[in-house]
């Protein structure tokens, strides 16, 4: 039997319809036995041309499009886009609206991280974690439904404020939930990170050094898992974050375990932020008066970035003085993070591919845009 | 702008003939405009001066030219910088910065795909979102397609 036949690399296509690809992404693998030698990420299956569509709509009509970017965390794209428009058109935001934005975005962070941590469990053979995490996520989504009627695509943040004020009793319901949530999170922590099998599957897999994380453009929990203390809430201190105490969670080893654990520990910080924000939130208007339906910012560029659940979400707008944006670009953290799969997967076994991809937490709506 | 950042910027603007330093343009703390011949040299210098994070690469079609935008962040200088480089609208071509900032890899492919900018020296100069046999570059203002229906201009 000639040896050559066994030494040949096998090209295997994974996805786009595969549960462990976390969405409609495709990976072309060169396999040597079950060791990945090369991984090429093929994306675009969900490309809807949102940046092109935005050029054909008024500034306000773009808000619902931003929902369809990161559909696990729509609030972030709403907010980042509105911040860019507010900068471009010099629109003020009432204080109560800023607090509501912080509250919903931190709730969104928990809801989004629950999806990701749950998937990490499913990837590493602990499916129970997935179901428990979805229970916690569901409680947040129900509160969103009470707030704005939607469970997934909120369009809640608008240029100049937010769409609806909190209904009677909503803030108390959120506070009550925040008091219960840490128990659930601790349970999840033990269930996933205390599970010897899940630990074995996550530890030491997909290691990325601090320098690599910076050079490769990783942001959010993917960068923080590698020990990069990069958090736009700290760096830019936007909105009312400077008035709120919270810690930036960082990992040490930069493996799939650290990235997933960062997400879980961040949820505790989000609970802290929400509790402080609700206590500090003043009464008052939620939307600045007199914002025209056709916002026409003066000629020029604007850029705003926020810390989304996936990392640095930037929105770049160019105005030509008209009522439609000349150009809108979304600097998508999911896109930049998921691109790392081709750098992280080689030399791992095929069965670790799903774990590494899951630890990058891609949402393909935002990857493909 | 902090003094160290301002000094760094001034020394860079002096070193490169075509580099024009400007104050904030709404995108970052400062802005440098550069001709494409000097882009690689400028990028190398900026990376050496502490701009280790390439946050965003994108482009704008101004009809008469394609404007490239690189947004850089430096943790050591605690500052952000935008580098702008204009390319001709006809067959735009520029050097790839993926060798300096690997983060440019996928984002340059996006610009290639949607604007038709060719990046010399890119490790994988292929379309990223659209199929390889797709005709045209959708974010160009003159892009036409039978499936692209413009909304009636109501305003």
């Amino acid at each position: 039997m000639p040896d050559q036949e066994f030494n040949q690399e096998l090209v295997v296509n994974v996805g786009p319809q595969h549960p462990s690809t976390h969405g409609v992404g495709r990976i072309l693998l060169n396999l040597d036995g079950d060791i990945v030698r090369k991984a090429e990420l093929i994306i675009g299956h969900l490309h809807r041309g949102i940046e092109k569509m935005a050029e054909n709509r008024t500034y306000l009509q773009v808000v619902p499009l931003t929902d369809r970017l990161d559909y696990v965390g729509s609030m972030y794209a709403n907010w980042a886009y509105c911040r860019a428009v507010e900068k471009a058109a010099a629109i003020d935001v009432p204080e109560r609206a800023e607090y509501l934005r912080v509250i919903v975005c931190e709730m969104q962070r928990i809801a989004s991280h629950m999806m990701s941590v749950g998937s990490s469990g499913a990837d590493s053979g602990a499916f129970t974690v997935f179901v428990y995490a979805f229970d916690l996520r569901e409680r947040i989504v129900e509160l969103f439904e009470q707030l704005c009627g939607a469970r997934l695509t909120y369009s809640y943040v608008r240029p100049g404020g937010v769409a609806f004020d909190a209904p009677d009793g909503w803030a108390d319901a959120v506070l009550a939930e925040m008091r219960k949530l840490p128990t659930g999170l601790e349970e999840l922590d033990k269930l996933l990170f205390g599970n010897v099998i899940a630990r074995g599957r996550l530890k030491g897999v997909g290691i990325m050094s601090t320098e690599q994380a910076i050079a490769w453009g990783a942001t959010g929990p993917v960068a923080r898992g590698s020990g990069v203390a990069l958090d736009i809430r700290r760096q830019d201190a936007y909105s009312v974050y400077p008035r709120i105490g919270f810690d930036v969670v960082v990992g040490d080893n930069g493996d799939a375990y650290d990235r997933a654990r960062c997400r879980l520990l961040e949820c505790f910080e989000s609970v802290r932020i929400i509790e402080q924000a609700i206590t500090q939130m003043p009464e008052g208007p939620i939307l600045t008066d007199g914002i025209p339906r056709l916002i026409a910012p003066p000629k020029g560029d604007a850029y705003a970035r926020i810390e989304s659940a996936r990392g640095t979400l930037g929105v770049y707008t160019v105005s030509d003085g008209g009522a439609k944006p000349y150009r809108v670009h979304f600097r998508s953290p999911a896109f930049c993070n998921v691109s790392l799969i081709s750098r992280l997967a080689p030399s791992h076994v095929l069965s670790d591919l799903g774990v590494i991809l899951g630890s990058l937490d891609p949402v393909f709506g935002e990857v493909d845009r | 702008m902090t003094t160290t950042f301002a000094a760094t910027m001034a020394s860079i603007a002096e070193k490169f003939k075509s580099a024009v330093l400007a104050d904030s343009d709404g995108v970052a703390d400062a802005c440098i405009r550069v001709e494409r011949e000097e882009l690689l040299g400028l990028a190398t210098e900026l990376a050496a001066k502490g701009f280790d994070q390439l946050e965003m690469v994108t482009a704008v079609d101004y009809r008469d030219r394609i404007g490239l935008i690189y947004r850089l962040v430096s943790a050591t200088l605690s500052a952000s910088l935008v580098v702008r480089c204009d390319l001709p609208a006809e067959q735009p071509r520029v050097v790839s910065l993926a060798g300096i900032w690997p983060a440019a890899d996928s984002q340059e492919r996006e610009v290639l795909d949607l604007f038709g900018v060719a990046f010399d020296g890119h490790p994988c100069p292929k379309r990223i979102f659209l199929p390889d046999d797709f005709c045209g570059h959708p974010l160009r203002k003159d892009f036409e397609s039978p499936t692209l229906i413009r909304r009636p201009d109501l305003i």
Side-chain angles (χ1 to χ4, degrees):
Chain A
M1 189 83 71
D3 279 350
Q4 273 175 327
E5 249 175 59
F6 292 100
N7 289 337
Q8 269 179 3
E9 282 188 359
L10 187 67
V11 180
V12 175
N13 174 64
V14 181
Q17 301 291 351
H18 190 280
S20 76
T21 58
H22 294 265
V24 281
R26 194 152 81 84
I27 302 175
L28 210 54
L29 296 173
N30 284 32
L31 291 179
D32 174 5
D34 65 348
I35 311 278
V36 177
R37 291 290 173 219
K38 185 170 168 250
E40 189 192 344
L41 180 71
I42 298 168
I43 53 176
H45 300 84
L46 207 56
H47 180 66
R48 293 143 296 171
I50 282 181
E51 292 176 8
K52 185 74 176 175
M53 281 150 89
E55 291 175 10
N56 215 0
R57 281 162 166 74
T58 66
Y59 280 89
L60 200 56
Q61 285 170 341
V62 176
V63 177
L65 291 182
T66 64
D67 284 334
R68 274 95 187 147
L69 290 166
D70 176 358
Y71 42 74
V72 182
S74 300
M75 292 287 188
Y76 296 113
N78 289 171
W79 194 8
Y81 171 72
C82 289
R83 276 197 77 215
V85 174
E86 284 154 8
K87 265 190 178 177
I91 297 172
D92 288 329
V93 182
E95 201 163 78
R96 186 177 172 83
E98 288 285 13
Y99 275 102
L100 280 166
R101 288 172 176 193
V102 167
I103 293 165
V104 294
C105 276
E106 292 307 322
M107 288 167 70
Q108 184 77 86
R109 197 177 311 277
I110 300 172
S112 174
H113 282 353
M114 283 304 104
M115 179 84 103
S116 174
V117 172
S119 308
S120 296
D123 290 335
S124 55
F127 197 81
T128 316
V129 175
F130 190 75
V131 188
Y132 274 58
F134 259 70
D135 168 45
L136 299 183
R137 179 184 156 83
E138 184 61 24
R139 299 189 209 165
I140 307 267
V141 172
E142 260 170 33
L143 286 166
F144 280 153
E145 197 178 357
Q146 290 170 24
L147 179 69
C148 61
R151 292 168 54 86
L152 212 59
T153 50
Y154 312 107
S155 291
Y156 179 65
V157 183
R158 304 283 170 90
V162 292
F164 312 101
D165 202 347
D168 284 344
W170 186 79
D172 292 329
V174 173
L175 269 185
E177 197 51 66
M178 288 309 129
R179 269 183 222 115
K180 283 189 280 180
L181 209 63
T183 322
L185 292 171
E186 277 158 22
E187 194 175 38
L188 207 59
D189 192 15
K190 278 186 226 151
L191 205 56
L192 178 62
F193 301 109
N195 178 336
V196 67
I197 299 170
R199 284 171 74 99
R201 292 296 312 278
L202 296 168
K203 278 250 181 201
V205 170
I207 295 177
M208 179 166 58
S209 73
T210 309
E211 295 74 29
Q212 285 171 332
I214 292 172
W216 294 351
T219 52
V222 177
R224 290 193 288 271
S226 295
V228 186
L230 174 74
D231 190 324
I232 306 304
R233 293 175 291 176
R234 269 288 147 76
Q235 253 88 5
D236 286 9
Y238 58 95
S239 189
V240 292
Y241 280 113
R243 300 180 208 166
I244 292 169
F246 66 97
D247 293 320
V248 176
V249 183
V250 290
D252 320 301
N253 303 319
D255 54 8
Y257 179 91
D258 276 13
R259 292 194 275 276
R261 189 114 202 279
C262 263
R263 292 195 183 95
L264 186 79
L265 296 180
E266 270 176 24
C267 293
F268 289 99
E269 297 303 316
S270 292
V271 170
R272 266 177 76 193
I273 296 173
I274 295 165
E275 284 175 342
Q276 293 173 67
I278 288 183
T279 328
Q280 293 176 14
M281 184 165 68
E283 292 294 320
I286 52 142
L287 198 64
T288 302
D289 275 339
I291 297 172
R293 291 225 180 119
L294 293 176
I295 303 166
K299 217 173 156 180
D301 297 7
Y303 180 81
R305 56 178 194 167
I306 66 166
E307 183 68 31
S308 90
R310 262 148 280 284
T312 307
L313 173 61
V315 177
Y316 171 63
T317 61
V318 180
S319 170
D320 60 353
K324 293 174 183 173
Y326 187 76
R327 167 103 172 93
V328 180
H329 175 67
F330 297 93
R331 188 270 176 210
S332 151
F335 173 63
C336 296
N337 289 347
V338 79
S339 309
L340 305 181
I341 189 73
S342 51
R343 301 180 194 272
L344 295 177
S347 82
H348 284 85
V349 290
L350 176 60
S351 54
D352 283 343
L353 184 75
V355 172
I356 301 173
L357 190 65
S359 75
L360 300 174
D361 192 18
V363 170
F364 278 87
E366 200 187 54
V367 173
D368 291 344
R369 281 161 282 156
Chain B
M1 257 198 264
T2 59
T3 43
T4 43
F5 176 50
T8 313
M9 288 298 96
S11 75
I12 285 169
E14 220 164 82
K15 193 166 171 185
F16 294 91
K17 260 198 309 220
S18 73
V20 181
L21 180 65
D23 276 349
S24 175
D25 55 354
V27 179
D29 296 338
C31 166
I32 291 187
R33 284 189 171 278
V34 69
E35 295 292 327
R36 61 175 156 172
E37 290 74 24
E38 283 195 311
L39 181 66
L40 188 65
L42 179 77
T44 315
E45 181 81 11
L46 286 170
K49 294 271 187 195
F51 283 95
D52 49 0
Q53 299 168 42
L54 178 68
E55 188 172 282
M56 179 179 81
V57 182
T58 191
V60 182
D61 180 6
Y62 294 106
R63 292 181 202 276
D64 56 334
R65 65 199 152 92
I66 302 285
L68 277 182
I69 296 126
Y70 301 86
R71 192 179 196 275
L72 302 165
V73 180
S74 166
T76 46
L77 297 168
S78 55
S80 60
L81 171 72
V82 59
V83 175
R84 288 173 185 270
C85 180
D86 284 347
L87 306 176
E90 289 293 316
Q91 296 187 331
R93 176 171 278 281
V94 73
V95 64
S96 166
L97 300 184
I100 300 168
W101 295 290
D105 187 333
S106 51
Q107 298 195 56
E108 282 181 348
R109 274 181 70 187
E110 186 188 333
V111 175
L112 178 154
D113 193 357
L114 304 177
F115 286 91
V117 175
F119 287 92
D120 292 325
H122 191 283
C124 179
K126 293 199 291 190
R127 283 186 184 270
I128 193 161
F129 294 136
L130 300 167
D132 291 337
D133 57 355
F134 191 86
C135 286
H137 303 283
L139 283 180
R140 296 287 291 253
K141 292 286 178 184
D142 57 6
F143 175 75
E144 292 292 341
S145 158
T147 54
L148 179 75
I149 300 156
R150 296 201 180 272
R151 290 188 146 204
D153 236 340
L154 300 173
I155 47 167

